[in-house]
Amino acid sequence: EVQLVESGGGLVQPGGSLRLSCAGSGFTFSSCEMNWVRQAPGKGLEWVSYISSSGSSIYYADSVKGRFTISRDNAKNSLYLQMNSLRAEDTAVYYCAREDPTVTTSGYMDVWGKGTTVTVSS
Amino acid sequence: SYVLTQPPSVSVAPGQTARITCGGNNIGSKSVHWYQQKPGQAPVLVVYDDSDRPSGIPERFSGSNSGNTATLTISRVEAGDEADYYCQVWDTSDHWVFGGGTKLTVL
């Protein structure tokens, strides 16, 4: 079964840091482009960051640029999001999501994890 | 920045057809993708590349895209279709862009 499982969420104070992880299974992780997408409480979906299969191409939303760092370890079938200088507005459920691997740069996400919750509050 | 505009809510009776729109500047020139999200669950891809369906998605879900509007059509609506629906495109400047979402209510 194709699966993505996020972990690492929690409560952190403003200005603090947190590292999210996403473990992939049931597919060839190293061949897949990956994204992080977040959803603030009661709000819509917001794309956060993208990383290519090799890690050579990386993009960030303007809202997190300079504060968040995406990375991956294909040997461990894992995706990461290092979040620094966290703000209250970063409070959200964070999903990792796979780009369709059957199409080069598909532009859409065919598999999603269940998400991990990040709360930034004092 | 590229903006996608969706109606906040759409209501439909069971067995009828629901149409959810997604507006964007010349969106017809882009590929539009649609996600369904039920309360407390992760999004699920229901239509990609304007009108294709992933395996396992019922034929009742279809999509179209032309001009400045893309549309997700759900035929013979069932109670289980009640959810939030999001459109999404890839833009050269903003990368992955989502619409604000539409809450589908089955009366």
Side-chain angles (χ1 to χ4, degrees), chain A residues 78-120:
Chain A
S78 292
L79 174 72
Y80 305 102
L81 186 67
Q82 177 68 42
M83 304 186 295
N84 298 331
S85 303
L86 283 162
R87 307 166 180 167
E89 54 264 36
D90 295 318
T91 294
V93 175
Y94 285 73
Y95 297 100
C96 68
R98 184 186 83 168
E99 295 267 314
D100 185 349
T102 65
V103 180
T104 301
T105 314
S106 68
Y108 59 88
M109 303 165 212
D110 70 335
V111 177
W112 296 63
K114 295 184 185 302
T116 187
T117 300
V118 172
T119 303
V120 184

Side-chain angles (χ1 to χ4, degrees), chain B residues 28-107:
Chain B
S29 66
K30 300 179 181 297
S31 292
V32 179
H33 321 293
W34 292 90
Y35 303 87
Q36 175 194 68
Q37 186 181 33
K38 296 181 179 179
Q41 298 185 18
V44 172
L45 181 70
V46 293
V47 167
Y48 65 97
D49 289 348
D50 297 339
S51 58
D52 291 334
R53 279 186 315 277
S55 61
I57 300 301
E59 291 184 7
R60 301 184 298 104
F61 289 81
S62 62
S64 62
N65 184 20
S66 178
N68 292 317
T69 304
T71 303
L72 174 69
T73 301
I74 309 172
S75 304
R76 302 180 300 283
V77 167
E78 303 173 357
D81 297 332
E82 190 162 281
D84 293 327
Y85 291 85
Y86 296 89
C87 59
Q88 178 250 313
V89 301
W90 190 89
D91 177 74
T92 53
S93 298
D94 299 313
H95 306 300
W96 290 260
V97 180
F98 288 94
T102 297
K103 180 177 180 59
L104 176 66
T105 299
V106 181
L107 301 171

Side-chain angles (χ1 to χ4, degrees), chain A:
Chain A
E1 178 193 6
V2 174
Q3 198 171 10
L4 295 169
V5 179
E6 302 92 337
S7 60
L11 175 63
V12 61
Q13 292 187 341
S17 298
L18 212 55
R19 189 195 196 205
L20 306 184
S21 299
C22 170
S25 59
F27 64 99
T28 306
F29 183 84
S30 60
S31 298
C32 293
E33 303 161 82
M34 300 294 297
N35 291 278
W36 286 100
V37 177
R38 69 184 181 182
Q39 186 171 35
K43 302 298 185 182
L45 301 173
E46 179 190 15
W47 170 75
V48 173
S49 184
Y50 158 93
I51 187 168
S52 63
S53 57
S54 65
S56 60
S57 291
I58 286 174
Y59 303 117
Y60 297 100
D62 288 344
S63 58
V64 306
K65 200 173 295 182
R67 301 187 299 122
F68 289 11
T69 301
I70 192 172
S71 63
R72 65 190 296 160
D73 185 338
N74 286 339
K76 295 183 178 180
N77 292 339
S78 292
L79 174 72
Y80 305 102
L81 186 67
Q82 177 68 42
M83 304 186 295
N84 298 331
S85 303
L86 283 162
R87 307 166 180 167
E89 54 264 36
D90 295 318
T91 294
V93 175
Y94 285 73
Y95 297 100
C96 68
R98 184 186 83 168
E99 295 267 314
D100 185 349
T102 65
V103 180
T104 301
T105 314
S106 68
Y108 59 88
M109 303 165 212
D110 70 335
V111 177
W112 296 63
K114 295 184 185 302
T116 187
T117 300
V118 172
T119 303
V120 184
S121 175
S122 55

